[in-house]
Amino acid sequence: QVQLVESGGGLVQPGGSLRHSCTASRIIFSLTGMGWYRQAPGKQRELVATITSGGNTNYADFAKGRFTISRDNAKNTVYLQMNSLKPEDTAVYYCNGDTWKTNWGQGTQVTVSS
């Protein structure tokens, strides 16, 4: 079973930045597309961004221009850099596959508030 461990959440003021990391194990990471997702209170989980094994990226409209997904295959890790954060970005952030899914991890809480 693939295991995913997220880290990097926190409390940040509007306009601030955070970087999430997600390390995968029990997978040939370099051949696997990955994604970041989020779930805000009372809302369904939604896609934030994906990155293919070849490095092609795709973003939700709300993430374009503010968030950047990247990967380090040597570390089996996918990152999500979030800049210009807004209160509406407050959510639990998760990583998982892009077109495949394994069990969801615990996620990391991001709270954007002044």
Side-chain angles (χ1 to χ4, degrees):
Q1 183 78 12
V2 176
Q3 292 187 331
L4 304 169
V5 179
E6 302 104 337
S7 63
L11 173 63
V12 63
Q13 292 185 342
S17 298
L18 283 173
R19 189 176 85 153
H20 293 280
S21 300
C22 171
T23 301
S25 59
R26 302 180 182 178
I27 191 173
I28 304 176
F29 185 80
S30 62
L31 300 181
T32 305
M34 298 295 296
W36 282 98
Y37 305 81
R38 71 183 188 183
Q39 187 168 20
K43 295 187 177 181
Q44 290 189 332
R45 188 176 288 138
E46 62 181 348
L47 174 70
V48 176
T50 60
I51 185 166
T52 67
S53 59
N56 294 319
T57 58
N58 182 61
Y59 295 91
D61 286 344
F62 64 80
K64 291 177 181 177
R66 299 191 299 130
F67 296 179
T68 302
I69 188 171
S70 61
R71 63 190 298 154
D72 184 340
N73 290 337
K75 297 181 178 180
N76 279 18
T77 299
V78 59
Y79 302 98
L80 182 69
Q81 177 69 43
M82 304 191 300
N83 299 328
S84 303
L85 283 162
K86 305 174 181 179
E88 52 263 44
D89 294 318
T90 295
V92 179
Y93 285 72
Y94 303 87
C95 69
N96 212 312
D98 57 349
T99 59
W100 62 275
K101 296 295 181 290
T102 187
N103 292 335
W104 294 93
Q106 62 184 12
T108 56
Q109 176 69 49
V110 171
T111 301
V112 184
S113 175
S114 55

